[in-house]
Amino acid sequence: SSSLWPKWLAKTGIDFVFIDSEHTPLGRETLSWLCQTFAAYNIPPVVRIPSPDPFEACKVLDGGAEGVIAPYIETPEQVRQLMGAV
């Protein structure tokens, strides 16, 4: 990921940016840097986590994500667990 993307995207007036951590090999530090950099340009970062794991949701929120998308939700209990985490 280029450090120029946040600056360029800020000029487009987009409402948010979607960062996929399910299908991309982003480390925790890189993901946090992306979230904080986009937020600095007033672009809320929304992160797709690799699984509906409350711990994964907490990690990306702690790293600066302003929203979380969880894949593979199959039960109401999974939703409740994620709601408790976020």
Side-chain angles (χ1 to χ4, degrees):
S1 59
S2 169
S3 60
L4 299 174
W5 276 108
K7 183 178 180 178
W8 290 337
L9 289 175
K11 295 177 182 180
T12 68
I14 62 172
D15 295 324
F16 67 95
V17 65
F18 175 80
I19 302 170
D20 183 11
S21 70
E22 179 187 9
H23 298 108
T24 56
L26 293 174
R28 191 171 180 180
E29 289 180 14
T30 301
L31 188 58
S32 179
W33 178 86
L34 284 168
C35 288
Q36 292 177 31
T37 303
F38 278 113
Y41 282 97
N42 294 316
I43 304 171
V46 176
V47 176
R48 181 177 178 155
I49 56 179
S51 64
D53 180 343
F55 179 68
E56 292 293 327
C58 287
K59 282 193 326 187
V60 298
L61 291 171
D62 287 347
E66 294 186 33
V68 175
I69 297 173
Y72 313 114
I73 298 290
E74 297 178 4
T75 67
E77 181 59 27
Q78 288 175 306
V79 173
R80 284 189 287 277
Q81 289 174 350
L82 282 170
M83 286 173 46
V86 299

